[in-house]
């Protein structure tokens, strides 16, 4: 049967905040836009963001974008590109106002202005007093943003392909991206979407690790598509872990629990944070707490039949405090950990939360194919959101800056695509070889017979990533980890589907996702092994210091031969002076 | 949304609808589908299919957030969902 084809000016893979904000700019400019999403758009992971989005509106306390920029550069542990960071912090203000005008119901002050919350890492006056920079729509910010952008896109006549799975990019010999092969999940039918430009907005990849706060859909599909197209991923070793996820499950137990007086204990009931951070104890920074938990477990002080987690004790706070100040935590623990925190401590373990690295782009959302910063970008290919790395988060991201990133760079990519399509108004001719290659990736899963199941290999892979490329990273175990993941990649060819039906075949979708996870996992493991310093979220007990002389550079990883290259950090902002690296103090 | 009889028995489709934007819902709804959905009377099956059309924060508030729905029927369904073994 002939492959069905559709043509659009622009194709957007992903309907989270990044994809939808880009689509809206394009549809408003009367371009013919297709948005593909594997789940219904408002079920994208952006819906989980409750905290809010940063912008220096100065509605509650004095603030300006330059202070926001300082905090972001510092938070990035000086690995962020300062031109992109300046741009993001300036654009934050009009971006939030545009959302407001589009109908996002931000929480308000009595004077009618947008209310702003204070969060860690926000300062006035370049490191001075606490700032209040986060705008929220009650505790449903992500949902409010997605819902508003989706409605606006419907109005603007964006064409949605809901429950379609993007398989691979289609490219020609000259490197132009011509669209993508997608799969209709409901029917199992492939569809070729040809486009003059393609934007990847497929979100994060937390599912690479066994314990993660990310939804099941976060499998790094767009990142893996880029790798298979022979392009690099950048700074993949930088992954933010939240110290307290429900053990073995990943759901977040907020910092607020320790803020209210909850504390961590090991199998002997010892309050171990006193040992690692005598002053801050359980309120030490996220990475310190996460590493301490792992150290306890590695040294045999873990709890449970596998001795693989620690406990968060809250019952001493009393039922009233728990009910009043920590609503939700009790329910969550009861359902997902099977314990009532009023009576028993909650089993916890660090949970993979946010990937700072991703598809390298310049400040305009254009994908950069090489380590040559002044070199050409890839014609017609863009990326935005958590799957991308414009390098605004560097080695660690601040809370509230990632919704900002997806919105600012989604919008900007949209504007740049409009210009590109003006200059490149014709579709290029299709490259059949590339289509066949993408089709063969689909068809290989038709193979029948006995083999490893998807879930078997997936469990093994995610555990390996957690043990060998997670929070605790020392040379020997990382070398072992890379080898193990390579072997797992080899064994992918032995995986067989247990279901060969065509409609809503979750087994097949999960097989495609598993392949993506493994490709992305290797980029993390290999990049992390070679960065011999500790910076931001990447911590190497065997190289405990930040080394600005040798390592103030971005890692680029290519799938072919697991090749690495490096490129310098862009320390020169657009209009202001550069912030030079300063020692990190806890 | 108009719910057809065939929607109730299309487990594969429902399984994909249980893929959400929040991990809590992924885990809880998928486990519920496996463990309890098949034993529900048609009335509650229909209600579950309806529930999946609600926005994530609403389902989250009802099932996990300690803000149960006011509607009696939904309340009954949600209490069954909350009894699902995921731990
Ligand atoms: C629990 C939690 C709370 C958070 N809270 C905050 C917060 O308060 N503030 C903040 O700034 N950040 C927060 N973050 C981070 C933030 O939510 C994410 O970084 C951000 O929402 C990512 O948006 P996105 O548009 O890049 O991708 P997503 O919203 O993840 O969307 C990705 C889209 O791509 C689609 N897709 C993926 N693969 C495919 C494929 N193969 N085919 C078709 N479609 C595909 C998906 O269907 C989806 O539509 C939080 C993260 C978590 C886990």
């Amino acid at each position: 049967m002939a492959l069905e084809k559709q043509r659009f000016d622009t194709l957007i893979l992903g309907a989270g905040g990044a994809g939808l904000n880009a689509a809206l700019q394009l549809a408003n400019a009367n371009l013919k836009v297709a948005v593909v999403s594997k789940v219904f758009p408002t079920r994208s992971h952006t819906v989980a963001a409750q905290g809010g989005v940063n912008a220096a509106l100065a509605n509650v306390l004095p603030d300006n974008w330059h202070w926001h920029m300082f905090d972001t550069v510092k938070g990035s542990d000086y690995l962020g590109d300062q031109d992109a960071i300046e741009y993001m912090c300036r654009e934050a203000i009009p971006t939030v106002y545009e959302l407001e005008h589009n109908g996002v119901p931000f929480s308000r002050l009595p004077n009618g202005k947008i209310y702003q919350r204070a969060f860690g890492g926000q300062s006035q006056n370049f490191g001075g007093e606490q700032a209040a920079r986060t705008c929220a729509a009650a505790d449903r910010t992500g949902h409010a943003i997605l819902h508003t952008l989706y409605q606006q896109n419907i109005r603007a006549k964006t064409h949605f392909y809901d429950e379609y799975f993007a398989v691979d990019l289609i490219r020609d010999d000259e490197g132009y991206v011509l669209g993508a092969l997608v799969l209709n999940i409901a029917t199992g039918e492939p569809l070729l979407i040809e486009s003059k430009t393609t934007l990847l907005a497929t979100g994060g990849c937390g599912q690479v690790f066994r314990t993660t706060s990310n939804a099941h859909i976060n499998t790094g599909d767009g990142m893996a598509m880029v790798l298979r197209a022979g392009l690099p991923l950048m700074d993949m070793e930088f992954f933010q872990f939240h110290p307290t996820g429900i053990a073995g499950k990943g759901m977040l137990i907020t910092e607020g629990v320790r803020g209210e007086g909850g504390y961590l204990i090991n199998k002997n009931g010892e309050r171990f944070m006193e040992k690692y951070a005598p002053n801050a104890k359980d309120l030490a920074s996220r990475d310190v707490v996460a590493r301490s938990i792992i150290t306890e477990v590695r040294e045999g002080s873990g709890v449970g039949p596998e001795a693989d987690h620690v406990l968060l004790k809250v019952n001493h706070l009393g039922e009233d405090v728990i009910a009043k100040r920590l609503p939700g935590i009790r329910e969550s623990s009861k359902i997902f950990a099977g314990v009532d925190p009023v009576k028993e401590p909650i089993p916890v373990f660090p949970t993979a939360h946010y990937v700072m690295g991703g598809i390298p782009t310049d400040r305009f959302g254009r994908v950069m194919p090489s380590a040559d910063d002044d070199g050409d970008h890839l014609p017609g290919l863009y990326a935005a959101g958590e799957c991308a790395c414009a390098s605004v988060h560097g080695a660690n991201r601040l809370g509230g800056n990632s919704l900002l990133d997806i919105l600012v760079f989604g919008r900007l990519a949209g504007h740049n695509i409009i210009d590109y399509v003006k200059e490149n108004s014709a579709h290029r001719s299709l490259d059949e070889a590339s289509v066949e290659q993408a089709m063969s990736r689909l068809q290989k899963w038709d193979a029948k017979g006995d083999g490893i199941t998807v879930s078997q290999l997936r469990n093994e892979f995610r555990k390996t990533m957690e043990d060998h490329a997670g929070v605790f990273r020392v040379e020997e175990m990382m070398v072992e980890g890379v080898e193990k993941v390579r072997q797992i990649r080899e064994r992918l060819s032995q995986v067989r589907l247990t279901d060969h039906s065509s409609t809503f075949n979750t087994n097949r979708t999960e097989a495609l996702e598993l392949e993506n996870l493994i490709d992305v996992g290797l980029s993390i493991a290999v990049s992390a092994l070679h960065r011999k310093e500790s910076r931001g979220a990447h911590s190497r007990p065997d190289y405990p210091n930040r080394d600005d002389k040798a390592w103030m550079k971005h890692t680029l990883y290519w799938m072919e031969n697991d090749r690495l290259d490096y490129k310098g950090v862009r320390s020169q902002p657009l209009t202001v002076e550069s912030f030079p690296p300063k020692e990190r103090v806890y | 949304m108009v719910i057809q009889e065939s929607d109730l028995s299309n487990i594969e489709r429902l399984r994909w609808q249980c893929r959400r934007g929040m991990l809590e819902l992924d885990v809880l709804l998928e486990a519920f589908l496996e463990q309890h959905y098949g034993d529900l009377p048609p009335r509650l099956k229909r209600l579950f299919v309806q529930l999946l059309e609600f926005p994530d924060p609403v389902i989250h508030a009802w099932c996990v957030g300690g803000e149960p729905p006011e509607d009696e029927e939904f309340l009954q369904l949600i209490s069954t969902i909350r009894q699902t073994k995921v731990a």
Side-chain angles (χ1 to χ4, degrees):
Chain A
M1 203 173 78
L3 177 62
E4 190 191 338
K5 295 178 186 140
Q6 299 280 350
R7 279 186 163 192
F8 289 87
D9 289 322
T10 184
L11 165 63
I12 297 179
L13 302 178
L20 290 185
N21 211 20
L24 187 55
Q25 317 301 321
L26 293 157
N28 278 340
N30 291 322
L31 262 66
K32 205 175 159 213
V33 188
V35 174
V36 172
S37 176
K38 59 180 173 178
V39 295
F40 189 75
T42 53
R43 292 176 200 159
S44 300
H45 191 54
T46 296
V47 78
Q50 303 185 326
V53 49
N54 295 339
L57 305 180
N59 287 352
V60 170
L61 291 171
D63 207 356
N64 75 51
W65 66 261
H66 201 187
W67 301 346
H68 183 186
M69 176 182 172
F70 169 83
D71 292 337
T72 306
V73 172
K74 182 177 164 213
S76 82
D77 221 357
Y78 301 92
L79 196 78
D81 285 347
Q82 296 196 22
D83 52 352
I85 295 177
E86 175 179 342
Y87 181 82
M88 178 178 81
C89 296
R90 280 173 174 273
E91 280 298 303
I93 298 163
T95 300
V96 165
Y97 287 137
E98 186 179 283
L99 285 176
E100 183 188 25
H101 293 151
N102 277 331
V104 174
F106 283 112
S107 305
R108 293 188 183 274
L109 293 159
N111 68 8
K113 290 186 174 174
I114 294 174
Y115 168 74
Q116 298 193 277
R117 287 180 195 159
F119 266 120
Q122 304 177 348
S123 76
Q124 300 181 40
N125 247 320
F126 312 107
E129 285 179 27
Q130 176 75 44
R133 196 171 286 147
T134 307
C135 313
D139 62 354
R140 295 183 178 183
T141 313
H143 168 71
I145 290 173
L146 271 185
H147 185 75
T148 304
L149 290 176
Y150 180 64
Q151 294 297 333
Q152 292 285 355
N153 270 291
I154 294 289
R155 177 195 54 72
K157 305 212 164 22
T158 297
H159 190 100
F160 281 96
Y161 287 94
D162 297 341
E163 301 186 333
Y164 278 70
F165 187 94
V167 178
D168 256 328
L169 296 171
I170 305 300
R171 291 181 75 186
D172 66 15
D173 286 346
E174 291 174 59
Y176 282 83
V177 173
L178 312 173
L181 182 74
V182 305
L183 178 76
N184 181 342
I185 297 175
T187 63
E189 289 297 327
L191 166 70
L192 188 71
I193 301 184
E194 287 183 75
S195 57
K196 298 166 192 167
T197 61
T198 302
L199 169 71
L200 291 154
T202 48
C205 59
Q207 286 294 325
V208 157
F209 295 100
R210 184 183 71 132
T211 311
T212 176
S213 64
N214 286 196
H216 290 172
I217 46 181
N218 281 23
T219 50
D221 299 348
M223 295 174 178
M225 284 162 64
V226 156
L227 287 176
R228 282 192 297 269
L231 300 166
L233 292 180
M234 185 158 99
D235 292 341
M236 291 302 287
E237 63 271 42
F238 296 102
F239 215 109
Q240 186 179 78
F241 286 81
H242 190 290
T244 53
I246 292 181
K249 294 283 187 306
M251 295 83 187
L252 290 186
I253 300 289
T254 71
E255 244 109 33
V257 174
R258 281 169 288 137
E260 291 295 338
Y263 58 84
L264 294 161
I265 52 175
N266 61 17
K267 74 167 183 201
N268 305 317
E270 287 158 358
R271 187 172 175 182
F272 59 84
M273 282 312 298
E274 288 177 340
K275 193 164 65 185
Y276 301 98
N279 295 322
K281 294 180 190 145
D282 296 85
L283 296 177
S285 67
R286 280 186 180 181
D287 43 344
V288 171
V289 179
R291 234 170 318 151
S292 308
I293 294 173
I294 306 276
T295 307
E296 288 294 306
V297 168
R298 285 175 55 84
E299 289 177 355
S301 300
V303 185
E306 309 279 329
D308 60 357
H309 59 267
V310 298
L311 297 172
L312 177 59
K313 186 172 147 53
V314 287
N315 55 345
H316 58 286
L317 300 176
E319 190 166 346
D320 282 354
V321 173
I322 293 173
K324 225 180 275 159
R325 305 229 195 103
L326 305 169
I329 296 302
R330 188 174 180 187
E331 291 300 316
S332 231
S333 315
K334 276 181 167 169
I335 297 177
F336 299 108
V339 305
D340 181 352
V342 166
K343 300 183 190 127
E344 290 168 87
I346 312 168
V348 293
F349 193 75
T351 186
H353 191 47
Y354 182 86
V355 60
M356 272 71 74
I359 305 159
T361 69
D362 65 7
R363 214 162 45 70
F364 307 102
R366 301 182 296 200
V367 172
M368 303 295 289
S370 75
D372 177 5
D373 222 10
D374 301 317
D376 284 342
H377 50 85
L378 207 88
L381 186 63
Y382 295 76
E386 194 170 333
C387 73
C389 183
S391 199
V392 287
H393 309 297
N396 215 343
R397 80 146 180 148
L398 297 182
N401 262 2
S402 110
L403 282 183
L404 179 61
D405 168 10
I406 69 175
L407 294 165
V408 166
F409 290 100
R411 180 168 176 262
L412 181 74
H415 290 164
N416 276 281
I417 290 172
I418 294 171
D419 293 341
Y420 181 92
V421 172
K422 265 188 209 143
E423 284 164 25
N424 301 273
S425 56
H427 283 274
R428 298 175 62 86
S429 53
L430 202 57
D431 186 289
E432 292 298 340
S434 179
V435 177
E436 259 168 50
Q437 206 176 3
M439 279 299 291
S440 69
R441 180 160 177 259
L442 260 184
Q443 285 154 351
K444 78 172 179 226
W445 292 108
D446 293 340
K448 303 216 166 70
D450 291 338
I452 314 171
T453 66
V454 173
S455 64
Q456 256 173 340
L457 197 65
R458 186 178 54 207
N459 292 346
E460 194 182 321
F461 163 73
R462 297 174 72 210
K463 176 85 167 74
T464 306
M465 285 298 294
E466 181 160 295
D467 291 347
H468 296 272
V471 175
F472 198 87
R473 296 174 167 179
V474 289
E475 188 84 12
E476 205 182 325
M477 47 184 307
M478 296 186 70
V479 170
E480 196 187 321
V482 168
E483 205 32 58
K484 281 187 169 177
V485 180
R486 281 194 184 126
Q487 282 166 17
I488 288 173
R489 183 166 65 181
E490 295 290 311
R491 281 163 59 213
L492 193 65
S493 61
Q494 298 161 26
V495 172
R496 292 288 177 275
L497 302 190
T498 48
D499 174 6
H500 288 276
S501 61
S502 21
T503 63
F504 285 103
N505 184 338
T506 307
N507 193 216
R508 179 172 47 195
T509 314
E510 289 183 349
L512 292 165
E513 288 175 335
L514 174 62
E515 188 172 1
N516 292 335
L517 283 171
I518 295 174
D519 288 344
V520 171
L522 250 165
S523 77
I524 295 173
V526 172
S527 304
L529 170 63
H530 287 87
R531 183 173 286 270
K532 299 190 189 321
E533 65 158 352
S534 291
R535 182 186 296 270
H538 172 70
S539 130
R540 294 279 307 250
D542 44 357
Y543 300 94
N545 298 318
R546 195 179 77 201
D547 179 354
D548 290 331
K549 235 167 125 192
W551 286 103
M552 227 169 90
K553 56 188 182 186
H554 299 294
T555 306
L556 290 171
Y557 166 90
W558 283 263
M559 195 162 87
E560 195 178 18
N561 303 324
D562 294 325
R563 180 166 73 91
L564 294 178
D565 199 352
Y566 294 90
K567 73 174 182 185
V569 172
R570 297 170 68 90
S571 301
Q572 198 52 52
L574 300 170
T575 65
V576 292
E577 282 193 19
S578 176
F579 292 111
K582 279 196 197 142
E583 187 93 29
R584 202 151 78 119
V585 269
Y586 290 104
Chain B
M1 191 189 88
V2 189
I3 298 170
Q4 315 285 343
E5 261 336 285
S6 58
D7 292 337
L8 306 190
S9 56
N10 191 345
I11 302 294
E12 287 305 324
R13 177 174 173 275
L14 292 179
R15 185 169 292 128
W16 195 251
Q17 309 299 314
C18 289
R19 282 271 198 128
R20 314 298 296 197
M22 294 176 170
L23 177 68
E24 286 84 350
L25 300 186
D26 281 340
V27 171
L28 190 58
L29 298 176
E30 277 172 32
F32 173 78
L33 186 71
E34 299 301 332
Q35 293 170 31
H36 298 298
Y37 178 81
D39 302 331
L40 294 182
R43 178 178 62 87
L44 287 185
K45 278 189 175 160
R46 185 172 284 271
L47 211 58
F48 181 70
V49 176
Q50 227 174 310
L51 178 76
L52 293 177
E53 296 299 316
F54 277 76
D56 282 23
V58 173
I59 310 180
H60 187 272
W62 286 356
C63 295
V64 189
E67 300 167 36
E70 281 168 18
D71 182 277
E72 280 292 324
E73 283 208 302
F74 267 120
L75 195 61
Q76 194 190 345
L77 174 70
I78 300 294
S79 5
T80 328
I81 293 179
R82 285 166 49 87
Q83 280 156 23
T84 306
K85 287 251 171 310
V86 294

